[in-house]
Amino acid sequence: MNGAAGGASGCWHCGEPLPPAPVPPARVGGIDRNVCCHGCRAAAEWIEQLGLADYYRLRSAPALQAPSAPEAARTSGTWSRPELARHVVRDLGDGRSEAIVLIEGLRCAACVWLIERALGTLPGLVSVQVNATARRARIIWNDGQCSLAQILETLLRAGYRPLPLDSAALDDSRRREHRAALKRLVVAGFGAMQAMMYASGLYFGAFDGIDPAARDLLRWLGLLVATPVVFYAARPFFAGAVRTLRARRLGMDVPVAIAIALIYAASLYEALRGGGEVYFDSVSMFVFFLLLGRYLEMRARHRAGDLTDALARLTPVFADRMRADGTLERIGAIELVPGDRVHVDAGDRVPADGALDTAQCRVDEALVSGESAPVTKRRGDPLVAGSVLIDGPAVLQVERVGADTVLAGIVALVTRAATTRPRLAAAGERAAAGFVARVLTLAALTAIGWSLADPARAFTATLAVLVVSCPCAFALAVPAALTRSLGVLARHGVLVARPDAIEGLANATHVVFDKTGTLTGSTLALERVDLLADIGREHALALAAALARGSRHPVAQAIAGSVAATAALPAAESLRAEAGGGLEAFVGGRRLRLGRADFALGTAAMPAGLADAVVLADDNGPIAAFRLSERLRTDARATVDALVADGLVPGILSGDDATRVAAAAARLGIAQWSARLRPADKLAQLHELRAAGARIVAVGDGINDAPVLAGADVSVALASGAELAQASSDIVLAGDRLAALAEARAIARRTLAVLRQNQRWALIYNLSVVPFGALGFVPPWLAAIGMSASSLLVVLNALRIGRESQPAPTPPLATAAAAA
């Protein structure tokens, strides 16, 4: 039966039984194929029309039953509504959008092949990244040529059930995977217990004598309970082996599938002819212990994603929108749009990102900052979706909804990490593939050797070698450690966008910081305004604030925040930010510059005393100078000390004035620092360090830090910083806790240590037990227990990551996620 799908009695596309009333067949590859419904017929013929009929040859499992064309159009059309699509679609700029889609029915490498090529037929599709393990696809498209509704309709027509990433999709996918794994584990466990009970009778009977009829009955009963274990519970191992062999690779499922098939086939043969030994107990226990290891690995993977999924569930379902007359209407939170005013009661969660429109309130923002203490907010201060209102009621002026919120950004960062294949994992898979090849070779040599020496023992010795040397533990060593590490880091408020950064962070030798907004507090205070032209203080401040409110840089926010939120500011047109320089715009037809003195004044002569000031100037010269004061972060010194104690050499690369940089470096005990650097200068110094053999962690938060972050071995951005800095970073600290960086370094080093322990244990175990198996000293049932125990040990050892250190303080959200 081609493609492990339907045949004469089943649907060619999904494998379901054919209905009594015949459905017109689907013509695929010039042959009429029986189908169970019009939906499967349409899906099969559509796949054929796209020239992708090879999918049916490559796949290892049948597809889901496909929806009819009207149903597919209706389902996908729902997401064409902007008020729904905006909650799962992220605008990437330049006319491109992105969505993360969970794909039900994604079962094998052939499914990945079909999805990538089917979506590739859509005009305007930029990229598709499919993670078959997580059953997720990251899809990017051009808005003018493609849409989310078209993408979902394409997946539906191909026979899949796409679910744009939201809390319901996360729950459903997780629940289905858990239920399927648990059912297989229960079947294997029941079969193993029953097979052992019947095998005990055979073993005892071999010593005390047993009636041939009773012996045959026990053998047939063993066959009865072992058959569902092999053909149902062990099905994932056979499917995995077929996938890897079709891809011309060797995975750990190959020797497992061979061992299961050989044990069962040999036992069935002996049971039919009524002689020799049967191993129904061994094959059942082998499958049970293997499934138990995979089940624990799945639970560890689910726990690692619990925090992300808890974040996705934090946005409330409903919101109380205020009408123009002040009355409230209860609507779905997904229907909110920027500009709406929302009433939030005490104890409720904020439904969207926005600004506080009442005098004052207190909120719990533990999900973002990791600080469990409530934060006091005043009129105009930002509120984050998902945070809890402690004192209320309050009114929220909605600014960002759906995929544009801080909450959605955190989920997207962690999802990006989940869809990225770490270098360590790829290397581990290559090593495991080589190990499998050696195991198969050794098994063949064992069979040949015992066939010449003692043919009666050849089969059991060969099986023992196949089972005991299965590289399951070796293949699990890297993913188990990395999966656990990502979850622990997320609980510490450290979001890893590129899993390879864990290795880079652990092996780093230097750490370089930006000063403003990174080592110093995210907020600055306007100390005084020096007027340099014939202009009033308030007018100069209003002009500067008109430019500054268009930037998230701490200096700009300090100037913009010094003006009352209700003040009317002139409009700034053609606003442009120059990295490391400042802001430029036209206000009332007049070109203004705000920033460093050399940027603001251009080629004009610089008056004395402006080197350390923020200068406002026009084409005629300076208008005003703004003096700002700053404070070091409360945990900056402790963080630097912890990193130094851990072997890192700290440094500061700043664009600020030398006097302020030197003062900050002295207070932090940092000997290496540079000031008045533009982004290109920072990048040049970074290249010099790397040329000398340094492995560098760069930490920053501003637009001018983006080139440095992109050029470092590991880049770390603060969640409160600019979007460009976050986009260039490998790691994002989700809050204002700089100390999380030192915690991340410790966790990363612990991860590599555990990973090496796992690999060493797996290698030592295999090298130690294979000779005993080849010499015939290890029976198949004992080999199954030993191999499974080694895999369990690897998973349990990985769970030790993070148990030595706890986040300080631990967010309530993390506790809830850990208990999920």
Side-chain angles (χ1 to χ4, degrees):
M1 182 167 54
N2 200 19
S9 61
C11 175
W12 169 253
H13 181 74
C14 71
E16 292 291 326
L18 297 176
V23 176
R27 191 150 187 89
V28 180
I31 302 174
D32 287 339
R33 303 291 187 180
N34 293 328
V35 291
C36 64
C37 64
H38 292 284
C40 286
R41 176 172 177 265
E45 291 183 345
W46 183 72
I47 292 172
E48 165 75 11
Q49 291 168 10
L50 293 178
L52 302 176
D54 278 349
Y55 159 72
Y56 292 106
R57 178 177 59 84
L58 296 173
R59 66 179 179 173
S60 59
L64 294 177
Q65 190 173 43
S68 63
E71 182 183 352
R74 184 169 59 253
T75 302
S76 61
T78 304
W79 292 99
S80 64
R81 295 171 53 195
E83 60 270 23
L84 289 179
R86 71 168 182 265
H87 293 275
V88 295
V89 175
R90 178 174 290 274
D91 185 4
L92 299 178
D94 299 329
R96 297 186 307 152
S97 295
E98 171 194 28
I100 306 292
V101 180
L102 278 82
I103 303 177
E104 185 178 353
L106 199 167
R107 294 173 175 170
C108 61
C111 293
V112 176
W113 180 86
L114 176 61
I115 289 169
E116 290 176 344
R117 282 157 181 78
L119 292 179
T121 63
L122 294 175
L125 196 83
V126 176
S127 71
V128 181
Q129 296 179 7
V130 182
N131 186 324
T133 303
R135 298 186 180 91
R136 297 185 182 188
R138 180 171 177 253
I139 306 168
I140 301 175
W141 66 92
N142 290 319
D143 294 329
Q145 300 172 283
C146 191
S147 67
L148 177 64
Q150 290 176 295
I151 291 169
L152 299 182
E153 184 176 3
T154 300
L155 292 172
L156 284 164
R157 292 186 65 183
Y160 299 98
R161 294 176 189 167
L163 303 169
L165 186 62
D166 60 9
S167 59
L170 291 167
D171 286 340
D172 291 346
S173 176
R174 178 100 21 112
R175 191 180 300 113
R176 281 191 294 269
E177 182 181 12
H178 181 268
R179 187 184 298 118
L182 192 59
K183 284 194 295 186
R184 295 185 193 279
L185 183 62
V186 168
V187 170
F190 177 79
M193 288 189 297
Q194 293 298 314
M196 277 298 297
M197 182 177 68
Y198 301 138
S200 298
L202 291 174
Y203 295 148
F204 293 137
F207 293 103
D208 300 332
I210 187 174
D211 182 72
R215 183 197 62 187
D216 291 342
L217 176 62
L218 291 176
R219 286 182 169 185
W220 284 107
L221 290 174
L223 172 65
L224 182 65
V225 297
T227 297
V229 173
V230 171
F231 287 95
Y232 172 71
R235 183 176 176 182
F237 304 114
F238 292 110
V242 170
R243 281 198 301 270
T244 55
L245 291 175
R246 281 179 174 168
R248 292 182 174 85
R249 293 186 294 108
L250 289 175
M252 68 176 182
D253 285 335
V254 174
V256 169
I258 292 175
I260 294 173
L262 285 178
I263 296 173
Y264 181 79
S267 300
L268 176 62
Y269 174 75
E270 295 295 341
L272 290 174
R273 77 183 188 93
E277 298 290 336
V278 294
Y279 303 100
F280 295 122
D281 55 328
S282 298
V283 71
S284 300
M285 282 198 303
F286 184 39
V287 173
F288 172 72
F289 283 118
L290 277 173
L291 288 175
L292 180 60
R294 291 201 174 183
Y295 179 78
L296 291 178
E297 186 271 334
M298 179 200 70
R299 289 297 303 269
R301 173 163 46 86
H302 284 184
R303 282 197 299 272
D306 278 342
L307 180 57
T308 304
D309 299 352
L311 287 170
R313 289 190 287 265
L314 281 178
T315 303
V317 178
F318 300 105
D320 292 326
R321 184 168 60 186
M322 300 182 68
R323 298 188 180 96
D325 60 1
T327 58
L328 302 178
E329 60 173 335
R330 173 61 63 93
I331 63 171
I334 62 173
E335 298 181 66
L336 292 173
V337 295
D340 283 345
R341 298 176 75 242
V342 177
H343 175 90
V344 185
D345 283 321
D348 288 348
R349 294 192 180 274
V350 177
D353 285 0
L356 181 63
D357 202 16
T358 47
Q360 182 175 313
C361 71
R362 289 193 307 147
V363 294
D364 178 2
E365 293 184 340
L367 78 163
V368 172
S369 66
E371 298 290 346
S372 57
V375 180
T376 300
K377 300 284 186 176
R378 293 178 175 80
R379 187 183 300 275
D381 286 348
L383 296 178
V384 179
S387 55
V388 179
L389 188 66
I390 303 299
D391 299 331
V395 176
L396 170 73
Q397 184 79 27
V398 177
E399 295 177 349
R400 292 179 299 277
V401 296
D404 296 324
T405 62
V406 172
L407 196 61
I410 294 174
V411 174
L413 278 172
V414 183
T415 301
R416 192 170 79 187
T419 55
T420 302
R421 197 180 192 189
R423 188 191 62 81
L424 283 172
E429 289 178 6
R430 288 193 298 270
F435 197 86
V436 167
R438 289 188 286 273
V439 165
L440 295 177
T441 302
L442 181 59
L445 293 175
T446 301
I448 294 171
W450 278 108
S451 297
L452 298 175
D454 186 355
R457 300 178 63 184
F459 182 72
T460 57
T462 303
L463 284 182
V465 170
L466 275 174
V467 173
V468 81
S469 62
C470 174
C472 295
F474 194 84
L476 280 174
V478 174
L482 288 181
T483 299
R484 173 65 179 176
S485 179
L486 289 173
V488 171
L489 287 169
R491 286 171 171 79
H492 283 252
V494 180
L495 306 177
V496 180
R498 188 174 63 90
D500 285 338
I502 295 175
E503 181 185 16
L505 184 60
N507 294 328
T509 60
H510 289 65
V511 56
V512 296
F513 296 92
D514 174 49
K515 181 183 70 69
T516 305
T518 303
L519 292 172
T520 62
S522 57
T523 58
L524 302 173
L526 180 62
E527 194 171 275
R528 74 175 193 269
V529 180
D530 297 332
L531 301 177
L532 305 175
D534 186 13
I535 188 174
R537 181 184 185 279
E538 297 304 321
H539 187 195
L541 197 54
L543 291 175
L547 274 68
R549 67 181 176 181
S551 172
R552 290 181 60 183
H553 193 280
V555 172
Q557 289 185 336
I559 294 175
S562 63
V563 179
T566 57
L569 298 178
E573 300 175 349
S574 303
L575 181 67
R576 180 180 67 87
E578 179 174 316
L583 303 167
E584 179 182 274
F586 287 87
V587 178
R590 178 185 180 189
R591 186 171 66 173
L592 298 177
R593 286 193 180 97
L594 177 70
R596 285 171 39 159
D598 55 352
F599 166 77
L601 297 174
T603 58
M606 182 188 302
L610 296 185
D612 61 346
V614 179
V615 176
L616 175 68
D618 61 10
D619 292 337
N620 297 321
I623 298 173
F626 302 91
R627 310 286 179 171
L628 303 175
S629 61
E630 62 183 2
R631 294 178 298 175
L632 291 177
R633 291 180 181 269
T634 56
D635 58 352
R637 180 60 191 253
T639 300
V640 172
D641 289 345
L643 293 174
V644 170
D646 208 10
L648 289 176
V649 178
I652 299 177
L653 299 179
S654 176
D656 204 353
D657 176 67
T659 303
R660 286 199 290 264
V661 176
R667 293 170 60 188
L668 293 171
I670 297 177
Q672 301 177 13
W673 58 269
S674 298
R676 308 300 291 178
L677 298 179
R678 294 182 179 273
D681 303 326
K682 295 182 180 182
L683 200 55
Q685 291 206 15
L686 212 64
H687 289 160
E688 290 179 9
L689 285 171
R690 296 185 70 183
R695 294 186 294 273
I696 303 169
V697 177
V699 189
D701 77 323
I703 291 176
N704 60 324
D705 298 319
V708 181
L709 294 177
D713 294 283
V714 178
S715 52
V716 181
L718 303 182
S720 57
E723 287 88 347
L724 185 57
Q726 295 177 24
S728 305
S729 67
D730 304 316
I731 296 173
V732 175
L733 304 182
D736 289 333
R737 289 183 59 243
L738 194 62
L741 178 61
E743 297 168 3
R745 160 82 168 181
I747 293 169
R749 297 190 68 179
R750 181 62 177 163
T751 298
L752 286 195
V754 168
L755 190 151
R756 294 188 185 103
Q757 289 172 7
N758 285 346
Q759 290 180 323
R760 282 196 298 267
W761 157 252
L763 187 61
I764 292 172
Y765 165 77
N766 285 109
L767 293 177
S768 301
V769 300
V770 165
F772 291 99
L775 293 174
F777 296 140
V778 180
W781 65 267
L782 183 58
I785 294 177
M787 183 279 306
S788 302
S790 68
S791 300
L792 291 177
L793 184 63
V794 164
V795 174
L796 294 175
N797 190 41
L799 293 178
R800 293 171 51 228
I801 297 174
R803 296 196 184 278
E804 297 83 359
S805 60
Q806 297 296 329
T810 302
L813 172 66
T815 305

